[in-house]
Amino acid sequence: MTKVRPIDIHAHFFPEAFLRLIGEEGERMNARVDRSDARGPVLQIGTTRTAPLRAGFIDVDHRLKEMKRQGVGMHALSLTGPMVHWAPPEFGARLARAFNDAVAEAHTAHPDRFVGLATLPIQDPKLAVNEIDRIARLPGMRGVYLPTNVQGREIAHPDFFPVYERIHELGLPVFLHPVVVIGADRFHAFYLSNLLGNPFDNTIAAANLIFGGVLDRFPKLTVCLPHGGGAFPYLVGRLDRGWKMRAECKHLKRPPSAYLRRFTYDTITHSAESLRFLIKRVGADRVLLGSDYCFDMGYARPVEIVTKLAGLAKADQARILGGNAQRMLHLT
Protein backbone atom coordinates (compact mmCIF):
# COMPACT_ATOMS: atom_id res chain seq x y z
CA MET A 1 0.00 0.00 0.00
CA THR A 2 1.25 3.48 -0.87
CA LYS A 3 2.04 5.46 2.27
CA VAL A 4 -0.69 8.04 2.83
CA ARG A 5 0.10 11.68 3.56
CA PRO A 6 -1.96 12.88 6.55
CA ILE A 7 -4.34 15.76 5.72
CA ASP A 8 -5.77 17.76 8.62
CA ILE A 9 -9.16 19.17 7.64
CA HIS A 10 -9.74 21.04 10.93
CA ALA A 11 -6.84 23.51 11.18
CA HIS A 12 -7.50 27.16 11.95
CA PHE A 13 -5.75 30.23 10.56
CA PHE A 14 -5.84 33.95 11.41
CA PRO A 15 -3.80 35.69 8.71
CA GLU A 16 -2.19 38.98 9.56
CA ALA A 17 -4.07 40.76 6.75
CA PHE A 18 -7.38 39.75 8.33
CA LEU A 19 -6.31 40.94 11.79
CA ARG A 20 -4.90 44.17 10.39
CA LEU A 21 -8.18 45.03 8.66
CA ILE A 22 -10.10 44.62 11.90
CA GLY A 23 -7.48 46.64 13.76
CA GLU A 24 -7.60 49.48 11.26
CA GLU A 25 -11.36 49.72 10.66
CA GLY A 26 -13.16 47.64 13.26
CA GLU A 27 -13.48 50.21 16.04
CA ARG A 28 -16.67 51.75 14.66
CA MET A 29 -18.22 48.24 14.83
CA ASN A 30 -16.97 47.65 18.39
CA ALA A 31 -14.24 45.32 17.15
CA ARG A 32 -10.55 45.59 17.87
CA VAL A 33 -7.27 43.69 17.98
CA ASP A 34 -5.45 43.98 21.29
CA ARG A 35 -1.73 43.42 20.80
CA SER A 36 -0.67 44.06 24.39
CA ASP A 37 -0.31 40.38 25.32
CA ALA A 38 3.15 38.95 24.66
CA ARG A 39 1.60 35.57 23.82
CA GLY A 40 -0.13 37.00 20.76
CA PRO A 41 -2.90 39.33 19.55
CA VAL A 42 -6.38 39.06 21.07
CA LEU A 43 -9.38 39.58 18.79
CA GLN A 44 -12.28 41.29 20.53
CA ILE A 45 -15.78 41.61 19.08
CA GLY A 46 -18.05 43.46 21.48
CA THR A 47 -17.40 41.89 24.87
CA THR A 48 -16.23 38.56 23.44
CA ARG A 49 -12.47 38.02 23.36
CA THR A 50 -10.43 35.25 21.83
CA ALA A 51 -7.53 33.71 23.70
CA PRO A 52 -4.17 35.15 22.61
CA LEU A 53 -3.51 33.98 19.07
CA ARG A 54 -0.09 32.41 19.27
CA ALA A 55 2.33 32.28 16.38
CA GLY A 56 1.00 29.01 14.98
CA PHE A 57 -2.33 30.66 14.14
CA ILE A 58 -0.74 33.48 12.15
CA ASP A 59 2.76 32.65 10.94
CA VAL A 60 2.91 30.13 8.10
CA ASP A 61 6.57 29.23 8.65
CA HIS A 62 5.92 28.51 12.32
CA ARG A 63 2.95 26.36 11.32
CA LEU A 64 5.07 24.35 8.89
CA LYS A 65 7.50 23.48 11.68
CA GLU A 66 4.66 22.31 13.91
CA MET A 67 3.12 20.29 11.09
CA LYS A 68 6.45 18.51 10.63
CA ARG A 69 6.57 17.74 14.35
CA GLN A 70 3.02 16.37 14.22
CA GLY A 71 3.63 14.33 11.10
CA VAL A 72 0.88 16.18 9.20
CA GLY A 73 1.43 16.67 5.49
CA MET A 74 -1.28 19.22 4.67
CA HIS A 75 -3.60 21.67 6.43
CA ALA A 76 -6.96 22.71 5.04
CA LEU A 77 -6.88 26.26 6.40
CA SER A 78 -10.05 27.68 7.92
CA LEU A 79 -11.10 30.70 9.92
CA THR A 80 -12.98 30.06 13.16
CA GLY A 81 -14.92 32.15 15.64
CA PRO A 82 -15.86 34.91 15.43
CA MET A 83 -15.68 34.36 11.63
CA VAL A 84 -17.11 37.36 9.72
CA HIS A 85 -20.90 37.19 10.02
CA TRP A 86 -20.88 39.47 13.11
CA ALA A 87 -19.96 42.42 10.87
CA PRO A 88 -22.14 44.64 8.68
CA PRO A 89 -22.42 42.84 5.32
CA GLU A 90 -20.07 45.01 3.28
CA PHE A 91 -17.35 44.90 5.92
CA GLY A 92 -17.95 41.17 6.38
CA ALA A 93 -17.37 40.73 2.65
CA ARG A 94 -14.08 42.63 2.89
CA LEU A 95 -12.98 40.51 5.85
CA ALA A 96 -13.85 37.35 3.91
CA ARG A 97 -11.79 38.55 0.96
CA ALA A 98 -8.83 39.34 3.21
CA PHE A 99 -8.91 35.86 4.71
CA ASN A 100 -9.49 34.01 1.45
CA ASP A 101 -6.77 35.91 -0.39
CA ALA A 102 -4.30 35.14 2.41
CA VAL A 103 -5.15 31.44 2.19
CA ALA A 104 -4.62 31.49 -1.58
CA GLU A 105 -1.24 33.14 -0.99
CA ALA A 106 -0.27 30.43 1.52
CA HIS A 107 -1.27 27.77 -1.01
CA THR A 108 0.68 29.46 -3.80
CA ALA A 109 3.79 29.60 -1.61
CA HIS A 110 3.36 25.99 -0.41
CA PRO A 111 0.99 24.20 -2.80
CA ASP A 112 1.68 20.75 -1.36
CA ARG A 113 1.14 21.86 2.26
CA PHE A 114 -1.91 24.14 2.29
CA VAL A 115 -5.35 24.31 0.73
CA GLY A 116 -8.20 26.59 1.73
CA LEU A 117 -11.74 26.43 3.06
CA ALA A 118 -13.28 29.76 2.14
CA THR A 119 -15.00 32.09 4.57
CA LEU A 120 -18.19 33.78 3.33
CA PRO A 121 -20.19 36.86 4.38
CA ILE A 122 -23.09 34.49 4.95
CA GLN A 123 -25.13 37.20 6.72
CA ASP A 124 -25.87 38.52 3.20
CA PRO A 125 -26.56 35.58 0.86
CA LYS A 126 -26.08 37.69 -2.28
CA LEU A 127 -22.63 38.83 -1.17
CA ALA A 128 -21.87 35.25 -0.12
CA VAL A 129 -22.68 33.97 -3.61
CA ASN A 130 -20.46 36.68 -5.10
CA GLU A 131 -17.59 35.55 -2.88
CA ILE A 132 -18.15 31.90 -3.83
CA ASP A 133 -17.80 32.85 -7.49
CA ARG A 134 -14.63 34.78 -6.68
CA ILE A 135 -12.96 32.08 -4.58
CA ALA A 136 -13.75 29.48 -7.23
CA ARG A 137 -11.05 31.22 -9.31
CA LEU A 138 -8.50 31.46 -6.50
CA PRO A 139 -5.68 28.91 -6.31
CA GLY A 140 -5.99 26.23 -3.67
CA MET A 141 -9.59 26.84 -2.53
CA ARG A 142 -11.15 23.41 -1.99
CA GLY A 143 -14.26 24.00 0.12
CA VAL A 144 -16.46 26.43 2.01
CA TYR A 145 -16.58 27.05 5.75
CA LEU A 146 -19.89 27.98 7.38
CA PRO A 147 -21.05 28.60 10.96
CA THR A 148 -23.64 26.27 12.48
CA ASN A 149 -26.00 29.23 12.82
CA VAL A 150 -25.96 32.79 11.56
CA GLN A 151 -26.87 35.32 14.24
CA GLY A 152 -29.57 32.95 15.49
CA ARG A 153 -30.83 31.87 12.06
CA GLU A 154 -30.46 28.15 11.49
CA ILE A 155 -28.06 27.22 8.72
CA ALA A 156 -30.92 25.42 6.94
CA HIS A 157 -33.00 28.61 6.66
CA PRO A 158 -34.37 29.12 3.13
CA ASP A 159 -32.55 32.47 2.99
CA PHE A 160 -29.36 30.48 2.50
CA PHE A 161 -30.60 28.23 -0.29
CA PRO A 162 -29.02 30.42 -3.03
CA VAL A 163 -25.67 29.94 -1.26
CA TYR A 164 -26.10 26.16 -1.18
CA GLU A 165 -27.22 26.17 -4.79
CA ARG A 166 -24.01 27.82 -5.96
CA ILE A 167 -21.84 25.62 -3.73
CA HIS A 168 -23.68 22.59 -5.10
CA GLU A 169 -23.17 23.69 -8.70
CA LEU A 170 -19.43 24.03 -8.11
CA GLY A 171 -19.15 20.69 -6.31
CA LEU A 172 -17.55 22.21 -3.22
CA PRO A 173 -17.81 20.49 0.16
CA VAL A 174 -19.14 22.43 3.13
CA PHE A 175 -17.39 22.37 6.51
CA LEU A 176 -19.31 23.54 9.56
CA HIS A 177 -18.07 25.06 12.80
CA PRO A 178 -19.88 26.47 15.85
CA VAL A 179 -19.43 30.12 16.76
CA VAL A 180 -22.22 31.35 19.06
CA VAL A 181 -23.74 28.20 20.50
CA ILE A 182 -27.26 27.47 21.63
CA GLY A 183 -27.88 27.79 25.35
CA ALA A 184 -24.85 30.01 25.85
CA ASP A 185 -26.61 31.71 28.78
CA ARG A 186 -26.39 28.39 30.67
CA PHE A 187 -22.81 27.61 29.65
CA HIS A 188 -20.89 30.37 31.44
CA ALA A 189 -19.29 28.09 34.02
CA PHE A 190 -16.64 25.41 33.53
CA TYR A 191 -15.96 26.27 29.86
CA LEU A 192 -19.17 24.41 28.96
CA SER A 193 -19.77 26.74 26.01
CA ASN A 194 -16.99 24.80 24.28
CA LEU A 195 -17.10 21.42 26.04
CA LEU A 196 -20.83 20.95 25.45
CA GLY A 197 -22.01 23.93 23.41
CA ASN A 198 -19.83 23.22 20.38
CA PRO A 199 -20.84 19.57 19.88
CA PHE A 200 -24.50 20.33 20.64
CA ASP A 201 -24.58 23.10 18.03
CA ASN A 202 -23.10 20.69 15.47
CA THR A 203 -25.92 18.25 16.30
CA ILE A 204 -28.61 20.89 15.89
CA ALA A 205 -27.13 21.99 12.56
CA ALA A 206 -27.14 18.40 11.27
CA ALA A 207 -30.77 17.90 12.29
CA ASN A 208 -31.81 21.16 10.64
CA LEU A 209 -30.01 20.32 7.41
CA ILE A 210 -31.94 17.03 7.32
CA PHE A 211 -35.40 18.14 8.44
CA GLY A 212 -35.03 21.52 6.72
CA GLY A 213 -34.68 19.82 3.34
CA VAL A 214 -31.22 21.09 2.42
CA LEU A 215 -29.75 17.62 1.81
CA ASP A 216 -32.76 16.56 -0.27
CA ARG A 217 -32.81 19.77 -2.31
CA PHE A 218 -29.06 19.51 -3.04
CA PRO A 219 -28.43 15.77 -3.40
CA LYS A 220 -24.70 16.00 -4.13
CA LEU A 221 -23.90 18.39 -1.30
CA THR A 222 -21.35 17.00 1.18
CA VAL A 223 -21.22 18.49 4.68
CA CYS A 224 -18.47 17.83 7.22
CA LEU A 225 -19.45 17.93 10.89
CA PRO A 226 -16.64 18.81 13.30
CA HIS A 227 -15.95 17.34 16.74
CA GLY A 228 -16.90 13.86 15.60
CA GLY A 229 -20.36 15.03 14.58
CA GLY A 230 -21.21 16.10 18.12
CA ALA A 231 -24.08 14.01 19.49
CA PHE A 232 -25.64 13.41 16.07
CA PRO A 233 -24.30 9.88 15.41
CA TYR A 234 -25.31 8.86 18.92
CA LEU A 235 -28.81 10.44 18.95
CA VAL A 236 -29.87 9.68 15.38
CA GLY A 237 -32.04 6.82 16.62
CA ARG A 238 -34.05 9.33 18.63
CA LEU A 239 -34.47 11.43 15.51
CA ASP A 240 -35.69 8.33 13.69
CA ARG A 241 -38.27 7.80 16.44
CA GLY A 242 -39.48 11.36 16.01
CA TRP A 243 -39.75 10.83 12.25
CA LYS A 244 -41.87 7.74 12.85
CA MET A 245 -44.14 9.15 15.53
CA ARG A 246 -44.37 12.93 15.14
CA ALA A 247 -46.32 14.85 12.51
CA GLU A 248 -43.69 17.62 12.57
CA CYS A 249 -41.14 15.20 11.09
CA LYS A 250 -43.16 13.14 8.63
CA HIS A 251 -42.40 15.37 5.64
CA LEU A 252 -39.12 13.47 5.22
CA LYS A 253 -39.36 10.55 2.82
CA ARG A 254 -36.58 8.67 4.65
CA PRO A 255 -35.59 8.42 8.30
CA PRO A 256 -32.83 10.71 9.56
CA SER A 257 -30.45 7.75 9.90
CA ALA A 258 -30.55 7.44 6.10
CA TYR A 259 -28.60 10.73 6.02
CA LEU A 260 -25.75 9.63 8.28
CA ARG A 261 -23.47 9.05 5.29
CA ARG A 262 -24.43 12.33 3.62
CA PHE A 263 -22.13 13.86 6.22
CA THR A 264 -18.46 13.38 6.89
CA TYR A 265 -16.97 13.68 10.36
CA ASP A 266 -13.62 14.63 11.81
CA THR A 267 -11.74 12.53 14.37
CA ILE A 268 -11.97 15.02 17.26
CA THR A 269 -13.83 12.93 19.83
CA HIS A 270 -11.27 12.86 22.69
CA SER A 271 -12.14 9.23 23.29
CA ALA A 272 -10.87 6.11 21.55
CA GLU A 273 -14.17 4.36 22.32
CA SER A 274 -16.17 7.23 20.80
CA LEU A 275 -14.00 7.29 17.70
CA ARG A 276 -14.40 3.53 17.23
CA PHE A 277 -18.17 3.93 17.61
CA LEU A 278 -18.20 6.75 15.03
CA ILE A 279 -16.21 4.71 12.50
CA LYS A 280 -18.47 1.70 12.96
CA ARG A 281 -21.62 3.83 12.76
CA VAL A 282 -20.84 5.87 9.63
CA GLY A 283 -18.03 3.92 7.94
CA ALA A 284 -14.30 4.55 7.78
CA ASP A 285 -14.78 6.23 4.39
CA ARG A 286 -16.73 9.09 6.06
CA VAL A 287 -14.22 10.01 8.79
CA LEU A 288 -11.39 12.53 8.26
CA LEU A 289 -8.36 13.53 10.27
CA GLY A 290 -8.83 16.69 12.33
CA SER A 291 -6.82 18.41 15.06
CA ASP A 292 -8.53 21.76 15.86
CA TYR A 293 -5.09 23.30 15.36
CA CYS A 294 -3.88 25.03 17.37
CA PHE A 295 -6.35 25.33 20.25
CA ASP A 296 -5.83 23.71 23.63
CA MET A 297 -8.96 21.61 23.04
CA GLY A 298 -7.38 20.13 19.93
CA TYR A 299 -4.95 17.28 19.39
CA ALA A 300 -1.23 17.89 19.73
CA ARG A 301 -0.59 14.54 17.96
CA PRO A 302 -3.60 14.07 15.67
CA VAL A 303 -2.04 11.35 13.53
CA GLU A 304 -1.37 9.15 16.56
CA ILE A 305 -5.06 9.29 17.52
CA VAL A 306 -5.68 7.25 14.38
CA THR A 307 -2.56 5.10 14.16
CA LYS A 308 -2.89 3.98 17.80
CA LEU A 309 -6.61 3.18 17.59
CA ALA A 310 -6.86 -0.50 18.43
CA GLY A 311 -8.54 -2.73 15.90
CA LEU A 312 -8.50 -0.28 12.99
CA ALA A 313 -7.47 -1.96 9.74
CA LYS A 314 -4.52 -0.44 7.88
CA ALA A 315 -6.68 0.34 4.85
CA ASP A 316 -9.20 2.21 7.02
CA GLN A 317 -6.36 3.97 8.79
CA ALA A 318 -5.12 5.24 5.44
CA ARG A 319 -8.58 6.43 4.45
CA ILE A 320 -9.02 8.42 7.65
CA LEU A 321 -5.51 9.88 7.67
CA GLY A 322 -5.66 11.25 4.16
CA GLY A 323 -7.48 9.24 1.53
CA ASN A 324 -10.95 10.53 2.38
CA ALA A 325 -9.79 14.15 2.52
CA GLN A 326 -7.96 13.74 -0.77
CA ARG A 327 -11.19 12.60 -2.39
CA MET A 328 -13.41 15.17 -0.70
CA LEU A 329 -11.10 18.10 -1.45
CA HIS A 330 -10.50 16.96 -5.04
CA LEU A 331 -6.74 16.68 -4.56
CA THR A 332 -4.62 14.80 -7.06
Side-chain angles (χ1 to χ4, degrees):
M1 182 189 302
T2 303
K3 185 176 180 180
V4 67
R5 183 175 62 150
I7 301 171
D8 184 349
I9 56 88
H10 191 152
H12 297 305
F13 182 43
F14 285 88
E16 181 58 43
F18 173 84
L19 296 174
R20 187 166 57 248
L21 181 56
I22 294 177
E24 291 173 351
E25 301 187 34
E27 188 173 354
R28 60 189 172 87
M29 288 154 282
N30 202 19
R32 61 191 293 262
V33 178
D34 180 355
R35 298 184 183 268
S36 63
D37 194 312
R39 293 171 295 175
V42 173
L43 180 56
Q44 180 169 338
I45 310 297
T47 59
T48 301
R49 291 169 62 89
T50 67
L53 300 174
R54 64 182 185 84
F57 279 120
I58 302 167
D59 184 86
V60 168
D61 290 333
H62 185 95
R63 178 183 293 257
L64 286 168
K65 293 176 183 177
E66 293 199 336
M67 290 168 65
K68 183 177 181 179
R69 176 181 56 79
Q70 292 180 339
V72 171
M74 175 176 281
H75 273 180
L77 300 173
S78 59
L79 189 62
T80 186
M83 293 192 186
V84 304
H85 57 280
W86 55 269
E90 292 294 340
F91 190 58
R94 291 178 61 202
L95 289 171
R97 286 195 295 271
F99 175 83
N100 295 334
D101 287 349
V103 169
E105 290 172 9
H107 169 79
T108 299
H110 305 279
D112 60 335
R113 306 307 301 277
F114 300 121
V115 293
L117 305 177
T119 287
L120 303 178
I122 189 66
Q123 64 271 47
D124 187 313
K126 184 176 179 180
L127 290 177
V129 170
N130 290 343
E131 184 63 7
I132 294 169
D133 289 338
R134 195 185 76 87
I135 65 98
R137 300 187 295 271
L138 290 179
M141 304 307 286
R142 291 291 185 268
V144 170
Y145 218 62
L146 296 178
T148 48
N149 72 83
V150 182
Q151 298 173 338
R153 277 186 296 175
E154 298 299 340
I155 199 63
H157 194 286
D159 285 354
F160 304 124
F161 281 11
V163 179
Y164 289 120
E165 183 173 6
R166 192 69 186 113
I167 292 170
H168 190 252
E169 289 171 349
L170 292 171
L172 295 171
V174 170
F175 293 75
L176 296 183
H177 200 283
V179 179
V180 178
V181 301
I182 192 167
D185 56 325
R186 297 183 62 196
F187 287 157
H188 290 306
F190 315 119
Y191 201 49
L192 294 183
S193 59
N194 183 294
L195 304 185
L196 297 180
N198 278 6
F200 289 169
D201 229 62
N202 299 332
T203 307
I204 293 166
N208 273 286
L209 289 169
I210 294 169
F211 286 115
V214 173
L215 299 184
D216 286 335
R217 188 183 183 99
F218 305 104
K220 295 182 180 180
L221 184 70
T222 298
V223 179
C224 185
L225 298 175
H227 314 116
F232 173 60
Y234 184 79
L235 293 179
V236 72
R238 186 172 179 84
L239 298 182
D240 280 359
R241 180 66 176 177
W243 173 76
K244 182 178 180 180
M245 301 303 297
R246 298 294 306 182
E248 299 95 325
C249 303
K250 288 186 179 295
H251 59 284
L252 283 184
K253 295 181 179 179
R254 301 181 295 161
S257 58
Y259 297 83
L260 271 169
R261 286 177 51 80
R262 284 294 305 277
F263 296 97
T264 60
Y265 309 78
D266 72 19
T267 54
I268 305 172
T269 60
H270 299 290
S271 163
E273 291 79 6
S274 296
L275 183 55
R276 274 194 292 270
F277 169 81
L278 175 65
I279 294 167
K280 183 177 180 180
R281 191 74 175 94
V282 305
D285 61 327
R286 307 305 290 173
V287 181
L288 296 84
L289 180 70
S291 72
D292 212 349
Y293 180 93
C294 52
F295 286 105
D296 57 2
M297 281 300 296
Y299 289 141
R301 298 282 184 179
V303 174
E304 292 180 6
I305 300 300
V306 179
T307 58
K308 292 184 176 181
L309 189 66
L312 185 63
K314 290 292 185 182
D316 289 340
Q317 194 179 101
R319 291 184 182 98
I320 294 168
L321 287 175
N324 296 336
Q326 187 174 30
R327 182 186 70 249
M328 188 172 177
L329 299 174
H330 305 293
L331 303 173
T332 56

